[in-house]
Amino acid sequence: MTLTKVSFCALLILFASSHTANAQWNPNYASGRTTMVHLFEWKWDDISVDCENFLGPKGYAGVQVSPVNENVVAESRPWWERYQPISYLLTTRSGNEQQFANMVRRCNNAGVRIYVDVVFNHMAAGYSDVVGTGGSTANPGSKSYPAVPYSSLDFHASCTISSYNVANQVRNCELSGLRDLDQSNSYVQDRILDFLNKLISLGIAGFRVDAAKHMWPADLQSIYNRLNNLNTEHGFAGGSRPFIYQEVIDLGGEAISKYEYTDLGVVTEFSHSASIGRVFGGNDQLRWLTNWGPQWDFLPSGSAFIFVDNHDNQRGHGAGGSDILTYKNSKKYKMANAFMLAHPFGIPRVMSSFAFDNSDQGPPTTDGHNIASPSINADDTCGNGWVCEHRWRQIYNMAAFRNIVAGTDLQSWWDNGSNQIAFCRGNKGFVAFNNDNYDLNTSLQTCLPAGTYCDVISGAKSGSSCTGKSVVVGSDGRANISIRASEDDGVFAIHVESRL
Ligand SMILES: *[C@@H]1O[C@H](CO)[C@@H](O)[C@H](O)[C@H]1NC(C)=O
Ligand SMILES: *[C@@H]1O[C@H](CO)[C@@H](O)[C@H](O)[C@H]1NC(C)=O
Ligand SMILES: CC(=O)N[C@H]1CO[C@H](CO)[C@@H](O)[C@@H]1O
């Protein structure tokens, strides 16, 4: 009796822990990698090449791709047309199904996982007949999408979201006039699952669930429970569940809370984006970052999907308003990204944009319709209208820093009582920031073994020399750290692998 009880308990514990390790909160990254990039509006063939030539070798863990299913062809081709589905055919301006499948395989082979931005809260808006990127037609006016097929039976009755203080409206009415699917309908659930499980069979590692706040958690639960395990032919361990990160914009003060979704998967932490922008934008002091994490009203680290900006709030949509930092404010933007990547909190995603002047503008094209490929400069940066923040040395070297210091604690916090801060990650890495308008020039504890180290922000180790600033760490771990206010970058970072 006692024996049976004991072994039953042991079994339960075993089951519980293996379930957690392989569950939907785990990004399923290849070992030693920690950081995802959003290649917004990139073509599948271009992503394949970037996985092999850059993302894999630089240590990035994954790519979030733009929506993969057929969307409406909107006039002047704005970026937001991809959030207006016409069908679940895998044909968009980024490529077709064969190109998508090829990309997933090539990226997985390069150690880089693919995450798909899935849009199943709604279908395309409008009143008359429209055409999709795969040639399918639909009539949003009569809620008819024959290429799925969906009919008016599959949608909530039309109504307008007039108050975010009423959860029923937020979840059952139409977001910006987009026809609102009823995810409690078993036929709708089956169509969504056919789509998601097809992507899993092609080797993807997880999903960004667009507009999750506009769907009922119980309906999402029913859908997630019926997702297949990841495809072991693509290198995933047997029993691995797709990673799920849900778009829930919650800066407080609304009917719907981000905490309603944490039992289902990870949740986008928009407060992180707004707060890091406010601090590095100069509207709060860096010294307050000493307790960065849940004390800032963020989700617990393992539930928080974090970013400096995303494709919505970098152009004034979404949340955070003028606090949000983007590539347009590059010095402060690089500092914010470096802090996000140096700090142990959360599951980070780096944004990679195309340049834009107005908030509707779509990606660079060759002819007004077909997306143009990025050009790659000698210094790894991009041209042809692409910003490629992920290819900025100050950002990709910090993604590598995060891999190198993974598993260590933040320690030896220093600040000057204002906007100069520094900290160690165990005895593997050290980082300092200067957001004051005067120089930082002082002796600081780096926690690193004695030696000469190369700053990975101003340059990189090249053979036995450093193309940027180097610093001598003494036998007591201290070094004279200097970041002038006038320097291009307000960050200094060294780690065990940047020792000369
Ligand atoms: C830093 O301060 C020391 C004196 O403590 C001075 O010799 C040195 O030139 C300063 N360095 C910079 C970069 O300002
Ligand atoms: C830091 O600067 C001081 C003053 O210039 C010098 O005495 C000390 O040796 C330096 N420390 C290191 C580790 O270089
Ligand atoms: C407390 C402290 O370290 N204050 C420093 C703030 O920054 C300036 C410039 O680096 C120093 O002179 C102060 O000593």
Side-chain angles (χ1 to χ4, degrees):
M1 180 76 189
T2 311
L3 231 173
T4 317
K5 249 189 179 164
V6 166
S7 43
F8 180 68
C9 279
L11 253 177
L12 265 184
I13 288 163
L14 246 177
F15 178 77
S17 55
S18 70
H19 176 77
T20 308
N22 290 329
Q24 67 268 29
W25 297 273
N26 178 348
N28 303 299
Y29 289 150
S31 145
R33 298 175 186 258
T34 58
T35 301
M36 186 189 298
V37 182
H38 181 192
L39 293 181
F40 182 46
E41 290 273 16
W42 277 49
K43 290 185 290 183
W44 308 153
D45 288 351
D46 294 334
I47 294 176
S48 302
V49 173
D50 214 53
C51 279
E52 291 166 351
N53 293 351
F54 192 81
L55 296 164
K58 293 295 184 195
Y60 279 113
V63 177
Q64 177 186 312
V65 300
S66 280
V68 297
N69 58 302
E70 180 175 22
N71 61 265
V72 70
V73 175
E75 207 181 320
S76 58
R77 313 305 305 263
W79 63 271
W80 46 256
E81 70 169 43
R82 295 188 74 154
Y83 291 87
Q84 301 216 9
I86 293 291
S87 80
Y88 298 127
L89 296 174
L90 304 190
T91 308
T92 63
R93 283 204 283 175
S94 285
N96 61 29
E97 179 172 340
Q98 181 259 324
Q99 289 166 312
F100 178 78
N102 180 54
M103 168 190 73
V104 175
R105 186 165 295 284
R106 286 169 66 182
C107 288
N108 277 328
N109 286 343
V112 182
R113 301 310 195 188
I114 299 292
Y115 302 82
V116 176
D117 189 354
V118 286
V119 185
F120 57 80
N121 171 61
H122 55 258
M123 298 296 282
Y127 292 95
S128 51
D129 290 323
V130 295
V131 180
T133 47
S136 305
T137 56
N139 188 319
S142 59
K143 301 183 180 176
S144 168
Y145 302 85
V148 179
Y150 283 137
S151 73
S152 58
L153 300 173
D154 302 316
F155 294 83
H156 289 125
S158 293
C159 50
T160 306
I161 302 178
S162 54
S163 170
Y164 276 79
N165 291 320
V166 184
N168 273 309
Q169 277 189 24
V170 178
R171 289 173 173 148
N172 292 349
C173 293
E174 295 179 343
L175 172 62
S176 316
L178 297 157
R179 301 309 187 196
D180 198 60
L181 283 165
D182 178 1
Q183 291 82 13
S184 71
N185 173 324
S186 65
Y187 174 82
V188 171
Q189 289 192 3
D190 288 349
R191 297 293 72 72
I192 293 169
L193 278 153
D194 287 348
F195 168 47
L196 302 183
N197 281 328
K198 175 169 187 166
L199 296 173
I200 290 173
S201 75
L202 293 174
I204 61 121
F207 303 105
R208 170 195 184 262
V209 179
D210 182 67
K213 170 169 140 180
H214 296 275
M215 296 184 270
W216 295 95
D219 295 340
L220 291 175
Q221 178 86 74
S222 309
I223 293 168
Y224 299 164
N225 284 348
R226 291 168 59 206
L227 289 170
N228 293 337
N229 289 336
L230 296 181
N231 187 344
T232 53
E233 286 167 32
H234 284 263
F236 298 107
S240 298
R241 299 297 293 158
F243 179 50
I244 291 175
Y245 57 108
Q246 306 161 99
E247 186 206 12
V248 179
I249 300 174
D250 174 14
L251 296 179
E254 289 182 12
I256 294 169
S257 150
K258 57 195 176 188
Y259 294 98
E260 292 174 58
Y261 293 83
T262 48
D263 286 345
L264 306 174
V266 168
V267 179
T268 54
E269 184 48 279
F270 279 85
S271 290
H272 177 281
S273 173
S275 294
I276 208 166
R278 195 171 64 246
V279 173
F280 285 92
N283 297 314
D284 207 345
Q285 292 193 325
L286 266 60
R287 64 170 165 150
W288 302 122
L289 294 169
T290 180
N291 64 357
W292 191 242
Q295 290 185 64
W296 286 63
D297 285 332
F298 302 159
L299 291 163
S301 186
S303 292
F305 190 84
I306 59 168
F307 43 92
V308 174
D309 61 331
N310 82 340
H311 72 276
D312 279 319
N313 68 10
Q314 71 170 188
R315 45 180 49 69
H317 293 239
S322 59
D323 281 338
I324 304 304
L325 288 174
T326 73
Y327 75 89
K328 291 173 191 272
N329 192 347
S330 67
K331 182 170 181 178
K332 293 188 182 307
Y333 186 69
K334 286 181 281 185
M335 291 176 74
N337 272 280
F339 181 82
M340 171 178 79
L341 294 169
H343 197 283
F345 178 78
I347 303 166
R349 176 186 59 200
V350 166
M351 179 69 203
S352 187
S353 319
F354 56 82
F356 62 91
D357 303 312
N358 78 69
S359 68
D360 290 329
Q361 190 178 330
T365 65
T366 54
D367 58 0
H369 290 279
N370 290 295
I371 300 178
S373 296
S375 58
I376 307 294
N377 302 319
D379 65 354
D380 284 334
T381 60
C382 294
N384 222 13
W386 297 93
V387 181
C388 292
E389 296 90 321
H390 75 289
R391 282 174 161 269
W392 294 1
R393 181 188 64 243
Q394 300 85 348
I395 292 182
Y396 68 74
N397 273 347
M398 287 308 294
F401 179 102
R402 190 176 189 84
N403 294 342
I404 290 161
V405 304
T408 65
D409 289 332
L410 188 158
Q411 64 188 61
S412 302
W413 177 275
W414 169 85
D415 64 63
N416 71 338
S418 166
N419 291 295
Q420 300 181 353
I421 60 169
F423 58 86
C424 304
R425 287 294 305 276
N427 55 5
K428 291 191 168 168
F430 166 83
V431 65
F433 297 81
N434 179 11
N435 207 29
D436 277 326
N437 56 12
Y438 48 89
D439 297 346
L440 181 163
N441 181 23
T442 191
S443 167
L444 294 174
Q445 179 54 251
T446 68
C447 314
L448 290 168
T452 303
Y453 291 80
C454 181
D455 167 33
V456 299
I457 300 296
S458 57
K461 200 170 109 175
S462 169
S464 57
S465 61
C466 177
T467 62
K469 301 194 279 186
S470 54
V471 70
V472 175
V473 172
S475 55
D476 58 356
R478 300 191 76 86
N480 294 320
I481 305 295
S482 160
I483 308 174
R484 291 172 183 273
S486 60
E487 283 182 47
D488 287 345
D489 292 310
V491 191
F492 176 93
I494 53 178
H495 53 68
V496 284
E497 292 183 19
S498 80
R499 189 172 170 184
L500 298 176

